[in-house]
């Protein structure tokens, strides 16, 4: 279950009211898409048809939406949709199953940053589409599905894209031994994780699994709280 779904379920229980998911972007005048009350993706989780993770409904009539396929990657390791061929896309597009950077056009989009023409030029594509920086796809019923910020994805060896934030959340919340975790990789390199362990959790783990081993020295003495792990 994604963060968006968790927040929506929490609000529906605490407020005892139906909560609809929407997507907004300040440079596009605020609201970009919103769910309809009858949308299958907005139904409570008890319903067989829903919900669908990260769906934010159909676009507003004042906006044109376009998903520009991702380029292979830039020198920072982040996928770059702004440099891709807007018509033909890139060879990576087939591997991403319809995922691309969301771009907007319409009367509601802003004209530019005041006094900062270089930032305005970076915000738009050559054909006048406003880049949002969000990776999205289209759900089967035409709703917009948000996958995350473009700069939150890594490209390890193998050519696929990985959400660093999602991996960090999974390990931080599902593994009691992990206190903090940072996932990174060089472009085309192996996926790495720098992990800070929870000393008390490790101590309890060792007590259960190694009852005959004296570990008081480990608890009271210096303890290595950080290690570097390679994910295969």
């Amino acid at each position: 279950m994604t963060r968006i779904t968790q927040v929506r379920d929490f609000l529906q229980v605490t407020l005892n009211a139906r909560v609809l998911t929407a997507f907004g972007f300040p440079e596009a005048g605020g609201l970009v898409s919103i769910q309809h009350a009858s949308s299958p993706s907005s139904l409570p989780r008890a319903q067989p048809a829903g919900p669908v993770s990260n769906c934010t409904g159909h676009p507003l009539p004042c906006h044109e939406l376009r998903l520009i396929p991702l380029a292979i990657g830039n020198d920072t390791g982040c996928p770059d949709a702004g440099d891709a061929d807007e018509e033909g896309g890139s060879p990576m597009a087939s591997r991403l199953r319809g995922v691309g950077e969301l771009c907007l056009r319409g009367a509601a989009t802003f004209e530019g940053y005041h006094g900062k023409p270089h930032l305005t030029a970076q915000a738009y594509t050559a054909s006048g589409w406003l880049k949002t920086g969000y990776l999205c796809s289209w759900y089967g019923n035409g709703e917009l599905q948000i996958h995350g910020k473009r700069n939150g994805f890594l490209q390890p060896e193998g050519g696929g894209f990985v959400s660093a934030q999602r991996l960090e959340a999974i390990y931080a919340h599902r593994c009691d031994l992990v206190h903090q975790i940072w996932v990174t990789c060089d472009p085309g390199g192996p996926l790495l994780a720098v992990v800070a362990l929870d000393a008390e959790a490790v101590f309890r783990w060792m007590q259960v699994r190694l009852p005959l081993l004296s570990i008081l020295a480990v608890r009271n003495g210096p303890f290595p709280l950080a290690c570097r792990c390679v994910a295969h």
Side-chain angles (χ1 to χ4, degrees):
M1 184 167 56
T2 65
R3 181 65 175 172
I4 294 177
T5 308
Q6 289 176 333
V7 173
R8 182 179 62 192
D9 290 352
F10 173 79
L11 291 175
Q12 288 185 151
V13 171
T14 55
L15 301 178
N16 193 26
R18 189 76 173 275
V19 177
L20 302 178
T21 306
F23 173 73
F25 194 69
E27 285 84 348
L31 195 62
V32 173
S33 66
I34 188 171
Q35 288 179 327
H36 191 272
S38 61
S39 170
S41 61
S42 67
L43 295 175
R45 289 202 296 144
Q47 298 289 337
V52 179
S53 297
N54 295 353
C55 274
T56 59
H58 293 89
L60 270 62
C62 59
H63 295 297
E64 292 182 70
L65 275 64
R66 185 178 189 179
L67 301 183
I68 297 182
L70 302 179
I72 292 178
N74 52 30
D75 56 2
T76 63
C78 298
D80 190 350
D83 297 333
D85 179 3
E86 295 180 21
E87 299 299 330
S90 70
M92 286 298 300
S94 61
R95 298 188 188 181
L96 296 172
R97 298 186 297 276
V99 176
E101 181 179 359
L102 175 65
C103 295
L104 309 172
R105 189 169 66 180
T109 58
F110 81 139
E111 295 182 356
Y113 297 103
H114 178 68
K116 298 180 179 180
H118 62 290
L119 294 181
T120 302
Q122 295 175 7
Y124 283 89
T125 67
S127 55
W129 290 86
L130 175 63
K131 296 182 286 187
T132 65
Y134 283 89
L135 298 187
C136 306
S137 62
W138 294 111
Y139 187 60
N141 63 350
E143 291 191 41
L144 184 66
Q145 196 167 13
I146 309 294
H147 296 281
K149 291 285 287 183
R150 185 186 69 184
N151 56 12
F153 283 77
L154 304 173
Q155 186 183 1
E157 56 185 353
F161 290 101
V162 177
S163 173
Q165 183 179 13
R166 178 169 173 79
L167 280 180
E168 292 168 353
I170 289 174
Y171 281 99
H173 291 94
R174 298 184 183 179
C175 181
D176 295 334
L177 302 180
V178 175
H179 177 62
Q180 291 180 324
I181 181 172
W182 175 56
V183 178
T184 184
C185 78
D186 295 325
L191 192 63
L192 305 175
V194 180
V195 182
L197 301 177
D198 187 305
E200 291 297 325
V202 172
F203 177 73
R204 292 192 296 269
W205 180 87
M206 295 178 70
Q207 278 186 316
V208 173
R209 290 163 177 78
L210 305 173
L212 301 180
L213 180 64
S214 175
I215 55 176
L216 293 178
V218 175
R219 185 180 187 186
N220 298 325
F223 191 82
L225 290 182
C227 64
R228 192 172 187 181
C229 303
V230 179
H232 294 285

